[in-house]
Amino acid sequence: MAYSRYVDVVLPLALPGLLTYGVPDSLVSAIQFGVRVEVPFRKNKRYSALVVGIHDRKPDGYKVKPVIGLLDRAPVLYPEHFRFWQWLSSYYFASLGEVMNAALPAHMKLDSETTLHLSPIFSDDFDHLSDEAFQLAEALRRQEHLTLEDVRKLLNKERVMPLVHKMLDEKIIYLHTELKERYRPKQVSYVRLTGRYRQNQDALNEVFDSLHAAPKQLALLLALMQEVHHDPEVRKADLLRRAAATSASLNALVKKGILEVYHKHESRLDTYTGDRVKVDPLTPAQQKAVQQIERLWPEKDVVLLHGVTGSGKTHIYADQIRKVIAQGGQVLYLLPEIALTGQIVSRLRKFFGEDVTVYHSRLNNNERVEVWKEVLAGKPVVLAARSGVFLPFRRLQLVIVDEAHDRSFKQFDPAPRYNGRDAALVLARIFGAKALLGTATPSMESLHNVETGKYGVVRLEERVGDSQLPDIEVVDLRKNRPAGGRALFSKILLDAIEETLTAGRQVILFQNRRGYAPSLNCTVCGWVSECSHCDVAMTFHKKARVMRCHYCGFAEEPRPACPACGNMPLKMLGFGTEQVEEELKVFFPEAKVGRMDYDTTGGKQGFSRIVHAFDAGEIQILVGTQMVTKGLDFDHVGLVGIMSADQLLAFPDFRSAERAFQQIIQVSGRAGRKKSRGKVLIQTYRPDHPVLKDVLRGDYDAFARRELAERKAFHYPPFTRLVQLTLVHRNATTVDTVAKLMHHRLVRQVSGEVLGPVVPAVARIRNRYHRTILLKLSRRKGILTQALDAIAAFVTSLKTQKGLSSVRVKVDVDVW
């Protein structure tokens, strides 16, 4: 069949390119760029696809299938966003389908659901059917259709397809496939008087008189009248709760024509009902910084705001946001962690009210769709984690990336493995918007971009008001042995905690390992409690009494004795946040101790609950992983303790010094936010380490100069670009073979160093073996494209080789 119009579409699948479909005449006038359409794909499958091209060129070489239907009246994606998708796809080695999968909320990616129906040509003679076939046919006679999941529940078995295929062959049933729209607006029921009684008080008085014989109905009506005085719209659920009534009483009044129930679509998103306040006046230092930023805007699209902790960077952001809102623009405010959103949201909503919305992974799928629609409609301010770069802005004028150094901006799995900070800068460039990167500890990449003139820079070198930077001390654990024989706390740290609590102030202790102990070991034969699915030691979690793998989630009970030699008891090596919390309760039994790590922050409100409790003084000592190093702002923290700086400094990675410096400075910045000066104690066996010396001096510039010099000498970012290739397969020999083949191919085709293949530190995860190859590439134009083209050609050729085609190749551009 010939069509007058064709569309190129993206499907949410890892396909190599776009697909082309024909547009039926009935849809030609409605089809437009950026709408979703329902299309067939492969056998009995339908998907929602995104239209990214409209033309009249019939493709050659295959039969064109038609678009089945239109799912949107208006676009959900515009050309600017698609340009951004194309950049992500090409730069981070991901298909457009993988980008679409990451970008759109799950409920906007419809897929098909197959249902079973009783065939109209089949008679009611079920006598020859087997018991299971009879049961299924009888169910379909009573119900219009069943899903495969319904059939599994009906027959109480998982393997139902053999029966389904047999009944299909015998024409007893047939299959029907339709596209399911999974997003449903939230519908809330309200109650009010019917029109007659809203307008006639005498008639209403008669109703009250007539209900004396129905006391429950009377109580419900009286409760409604009381509620109406406070709010003319009364929710059904609130009314029934207030009147302690049942739906039966309400239904009786509805049946009598006295009350009526009506429904409204409501947002699932949090609303702000408080009063707005003006943005706080800027300090002279902040005013000077704002003036410098605005002088740089005409020349620089990106400005780095390098401000010490507590210098009031958030107030500078708020000042810039206010100006963008006044111009009718939109702002994307990125944060690395959900943990930070609670405090920042409450601040910004005091300034900007309902102009602020929030987007992150803890929202459910329906809430994400509603945020998407709000942004599409022009919501001025969006506070988001890294996925906020995918939202459909129309008038984006400013991008703010707070804590811009943070590693949490990097997406590791699945593809696209993008850096949220860098992607946000590209998004800003596409829209012609400005970008402001804020941090107390800039990344080496940001500093290099300042030095080369790509970014402007503005510095804030003093804290707000009377607040002083904390006094930082290193505790040499070689000379100050842990108190009482315990391996966690030096006497100096314990005395400082006691002194801080006595003064009525709070303590933060940072230990970047969760759980109780990182491993369980045998002191006789050296056995270690490793995960049976991964080549990594399992962590002991004492409260749950389990050994848990932090890679695959596998858990088992701790062993009472060594399975290799029978020795008991086994020894726990190292310590995590759970052990720190337990030990604190021994030394300070009266203190209220809280813990902030992955294990305690589950659920939608997990982070905010702990932050609120600490902010309110309900927790005196907060123990945490890197979550406590982020840009949280507490008024009464007098002491910060870093339990083991050596864990940070000894990590085998070229960025370990940078990350250690950043984390120590960031967590230190939580201390002494008000008039009283805070104190920071860093426990270490390596007090002479150069990074710790720079921390003590507060000399970030010296640290950065030395670090950049080393990076340049050894050809590491920001002077080169790193691309890590990870090959994965169930068979170690197979993955080794493919890794060697890939290395051999890339050495000949890539202009740069090809290092590897090597066995990584964790060589097996979820029973799949990993090998890595590292590319060190020049930053000259075209070199990355050349390398990615060579990788793509190898991956394509791999799919044609028997026995090797199932090896997966993961590509991570700009390893972070």
Side-chain angles (χ1 to χ4, degrees):
M1 179 179 177
Y3 298 93
S4 62
R5 283 287 182 273
Y6 296 89
V7 288
D8 297 328
V9 302
V10 182
L11 271 71
L13 303 170
L15 301 173
L18 303 177
L19 297 180
T20 302
Y21 288 84
V23 183
D25 290 342
S26 60
L27 298 178
V28 167
S29 61
I31 209 81
Q32 55 182 315
F33 185 100
V35 296
R36 293 173 304 155
V37 291
E38 181 181 353
V39 297
F41 183 70
R42 292 178 180 157
K43 188 176 180 180
N44 294 326
K45 283 285 187 180
R46 297 183 182 185
Y47 286 91
S48 63
L50 206 59
V51 175
V52 295
I54 304 171
H55 55 84
D56 57 6
R57 301 181 304 277
K58 180 182 177 181
D60 297 325
Y62 63 91
K63 182 180 177 181
V64 178
K65 294 181 179 180
V67 170
I68 296 170
L70 194 64
L71 299 175
D72 301 303
R73 294 179 180 177
V76 297
L77 189 83
Y78 286 86
E80 299 94 335
H81 310 115
F82 186 58
R83 282 173 54 200
F84 178 60
W85 286 19
Q86 289 174 308
W87 175 81
L88 281 168
S89 173
S90 63
Y91 188 84
Y92 290 110
F93 198 82
S95 69
L96 282 168
E98 288 171 317
V99 176
M100 177 181 176
N101 223 11
L104 293 185
H107 281 9
M108 292 179 72
K109 301 187 292 268
L110 295 78
D111 56 20
S112 54
E113 181 176 288
T114 300
T115 53
L116 281 63
H117 298 251
L118 195 62
S119 173
I121 64 172
F122 182 70
S123 67
D124 290 343
D125 181 11
F126 292 174
D127 292 344
H128 69 287
L129 300 180
S130 67
D131 290 344
E132 287 184 340
F134 173 82
Q135 193 176 355
L136 177 53
E138 187 64 25
L140 286 171
R141 188 162 62 174
R142 293 193 304 268
Q143 297 177 231
E144 182 182 348
H145 62 264
L146 294 171
T147 66
L148 289 175
E149 187 59 34
D150 293 335
V151 176
R152 292 186 183 99
K153 291 178 182 177
L154 174 70
L155 302 179
N156 195 27
K157 61 188 294 187
E158 282 295 314
R159 196 164 176 265
V160 298
M161 289 311 295
L163 174 65
V164 170
H165 286 309
K166 188 172 186 299
M167 295 178 73
L168 283 169
D169 292 340
E170 295 176 1
K171 305 292 192 294
I172 300 169
I173 61 174
Y174 71 94
L175 301 181
H176 176 69
T177 302
E178 62 179 334
L179 213 57
K180 293 290 183 182
E181 172 64 82
R182 289 176 285 178
Y183 170 70
R184 293 286 182 273
K186 181 181 178 182
Q187 189 166 270
V188 179
S189 298
Y190 287 81
V191 180
R192 63 188 175 196
L193 292 167
T194 56
R196 176 188 175 192
Y197 297 108
R198 288 200 300 272
Q199 300 166 5
N200 191 331
Q201 185 63 43
D202 292 337
L204 185 58
N205 292 336
E206 292 175 7
V207 168
F208 280 112
D209 293 338
S210 68
L211 291 178
H212 284 297
K216 292 182 180 179
Q217 296 176 32
L218 179 60
L220 184 64
L221 187 58
L222 287 169
L224 175 65
M225 301 311 295
Q226 289 176 336
E227 289 291 307
V228 167
H229 282 301
H230 303 294
D231 190 338
E233 293 200 304
V234 180
R235 290 189 176 207
K236 174 183 172 181
D238 294 340
L239 176 62
L240 294 178
R241 185 171 56 252
R242 180 179 178 86
T246 64
S247 294
S249 299
L250 176 60
N251 292 339
L253 291 172
V254 171
K255 193 172 182 180
K256 291 176 182 179
I258 300 169
L259 300 182
E260 61 184 8
V261 177
Y262 63 103
H263 307 285
K264 291 178 63 177
H265 288 165
E266 291 193 358
S267 172
R268 293 178 172 86
L269 307 176
D270 292 336
T271 56
Y272 179 74
T273 56
D275 295 329
R276 288 197 192 190
V277 299
K278 289 185 178 180
V279 176
D280 295 348
L282 299 177
T283 65
Q286 290 170 342
Q287 288 176 349
K288 182 180 178 182
V290 167
Q291 290 168 359
Q292 290 175 332
I293 290 169
E294 292 179 350
R295 279 200 298 268
L296 285 168
W297 282 145
E299 304 170 15
K300 306 291 183 183
D301 291 331
V302 183
V303 172
L304 174 67
L305 179 60
H306 183 183
V308 298
T309 56
S311 58
K313 292 185 288 293
T314 305
H315 281 89
I316 292 176
Y317 303 153
D319 176 79
Q320 295 298 296
I321 291 169
R322 176 181 58 80
K323 293 170 182 174
V324 171
I325 292 176
Q327 295 168 7
Q330 290 177 295
V331 179
L332 172 60
Y333 187 141
L334 287 184
L335 288 164
E337 290 273 7
I338 304 165
L340 301 178
T341 59
Q343 282 192 328
I344 302 296
V345 167
S346 61
R347 285 191 212 169
L348 293 184
R349 280 187 168 163
K350 285 180 181 178
F351 300 148
F352 308 115
E354 283 301 291
D355 285 344
V356 179
T357 194
V358 183
Y359 191 74
H360 54 65
S361 61
R362 294 291 172 94
L363 298 180
N364 65 43
N365 288 323
N366 283 317
E367 289 170 331
R368 292 190 202 190
V369 173
E370 293 188 7
V371 174
W372 185 278
K373 292 183 175 182
E374 281 191 344
V375 176
L376 197 58
K379 178 70 77 169
V381 184
V382 182
L383 193 67
R386 62 175 178 260
S387 57
V389 297
F390 294 115
L391 289 168
F393 295 95
R394 300 296 298 126
R395 301 187 302 275
L396 186 63
Q397 290 186 9
L398 176 65
V399 170
I400 296 169
V401 185
D402 200 10
E403 308 297 336
H405 64 278
D406 200 284
R407 192 175 183 225
S408 298
F409 281 120
K410 177 68 173 179
Q411 163 76 12
F412 292 100
D413 272 312
R417 296 174 181 86
Y418 66 98
N419 182 322
R421 176 197 65 201
D422 297 346
L425 300 184
V426 173
L427 182 71
R429 186 169 70 239
I430 288 172
F431 275 89
K434 299 298 182 181
L436 189 58
L437 307 181
T439 176
T441 53
S443 68
M444 295 302 103
E445 285 80 1
S446 294
L447 284 181
H448 182 62
N449 283 329
V450 168
E451 290 182 356
T452 57
K454 187 174 180 181
Y455 297 173
V457 63
V458 172
R459 291 183 170 83
L460 273 172
E461 297 177 346
E462 61 184 54
R463 282 187 159 187
V464 173
D466 299 325
S467 177
Q468 302 177 59
L469 288 169
D471 178 28
I472 302 177
E473 296 179 20
V474 168
V475 179
D476 186 350
L477 291 178
R478 298 172 303 179
K479 299 176 182 177
N480 299 277
R481 294 293 178 186
R486 299 181 186 273
L488 278 63
F489 300 94
S490 64
K491 187 176 185 303
I492 294 174
L493 180 56
L494 287 175
D495 290 345
I497 293 173
E498 185 171 8
E499 182 182 334
T500 304
L501 295 178
T502 301
R505 303 184 75 193
Q506 293 170 299
V507 177
I508 289 177
L509 296 179
F510 169 50
Q511 170 62 9
N512 205 26
R513 280 187 177 172
R514 62 186 175 102
Y516 192 86
S519 66
L520 202 60
N521 296 53
C522 176
T523 55
V524 175
C525 70
W527 174 86
V528 178
S529 57
E530 283 196 348
C531 174
S532 58
H533 308 291
C534 309
D535 290 340
V536 67
M538 290 199 293
T539 300
F540 177 50
H541 291 255
K542 188 173 183 179
K543 187 175 181 181
R545 292 296 303 171
V546 296
M547 302 296 299
R548 178 170 288 121
C549 175
H550 288 175
Y551 280 79
C552 72
F554 174 73
E556 63 180 15
E557 290 185 3
R559 296 176 186 265
C562 176
C565 70
N567 174 54
M568 61 185 301
L570 297 170
K571 185 178 181 180
M572 288 180 287
L573 294 182
F575 62 94
T577 51
E578 192 178 7
Q579 189 173 163
V580 176
E581 179 187 27
E582 180 180 273
E583 295 293 315
L584 282 168
K585 291 176 180 177
V586 173
F587 286 110
F588 306 100
E590 302 299 320
K592 299 169 186 174
V593 181
R595 177 160 52 96
M596 180 186 280
D597 57 27
Y598 183 84
D599 299 319
T600 63
T601 54
K604 190 173 178 180
Q605 302 297 329
F607 287 113
S608 58
R609 174 177 48 80
I610 296 172
V611 169
H612 177 76
F614 191 66
D615 207 19
E618 297 166 13
I619 295 173
Q620 294 170 284
I621 307 176
L622 181 63
V623 181
T625 56
Q626 59 166 341
M627 296 176 185
V628 300
T629 70
K630 311 297 182 181
L632 298 168
D633 188 2
F634 301 113
D635 289 345
H636 305 294
V637 176
L639 174 69
V640 166
I642 297 170
M643 301 298 297
S644 178
D646 301 331
Q647 288 180 359
L648 306 175
L649 296 167
F651 196 80
D653 185 273
F654 77 94
R655 295 185 192 273
S656 61
E658 177 184 0
R659 288 184 186 140
F661 188 96
Q662 289 169 341
Q663 289 188 327
I664 292 170
I665 291 294
Q666 289 289 334
V667 73
S668 299
R670 305 314 112 207
R673 284 295 181 116
K674 293 298 179 183
K675 293 183 179 180
S676 300
R677 191 177 188 187
K679 187 173 187 177
V680 179
L681 294 179
I682 304 171
Q683 295 191 148
T684 178
Y685 286 97
R686 305 172 66 188
D688 295 326
H689 196 287
V691 170
L692 294 181
K693 289 184 176 181
D694 289 334
V695 167
L696 288 175
R697 293 193 299 266
D699 196 344
Y700 184 80
D701 291 339
F703 165 77
R705 283 195 301 271
R706 185 180 67 253
E707 186 69 14
L708 285 170
E710 289 180 5
R711 300 274 186 94
K712 188 173 185 179
F714 293 100
H715 307 292
Y716 277 103
F719 302 98
T720 58
R721 180 175 278 117
L722 294 187
V723 179
Q724 180 171 286
L725 312 176
T726 304
L727 294 88
V728 185
H729 196 263
R730 287 186 175 275
N731 184 280
T733 303
T734 301
V735 77
D736 278 329
T737 300
V738 174
K740 290 173 184 175
L741 287 172
M742 190 172 202
H743 174 266
H744 181 69
R745 177 84 65 89
L746 296 180
V747 164
R748 289 184 290 122
Q749 296 182 350
V750 172
S751 299
E753 293 183 70
V754 182
L755 307 176
V758 297
V759 178
V762 182
R764 181 175 58 103
I765 301 174
R766 294 185 178 89
N767 287 324
R768 287 173 171 80
Y769 294 88
H770 292 60
R771 300 293 183 265
T772 58
I773 296 172
L774 189 68
L775 308 184
K776 271 188 180 181
L777 306 176
S778 163
R779 301 191 76 91
R780 294 200 313 273
K781 187 176 181 180
I783 298 296
L784 177 63
T785 301
Q786 177 204 52
L788 295 181
D789 287 345
I791 294 167
F794 179 82
V795 171
T796 301
S797 69
L798 194 64
K799 293 176 182 177
T800 65
Q801 299 184 46
K802 188 175 180 180
L804 305 181
S805 60
S806 55
V807 174
R808 285 198 305 127
V809 180
K810 300 196 290 186
V811 181
D812 188 359
V813 178
D814 292 343
V815 182
W816 203 1

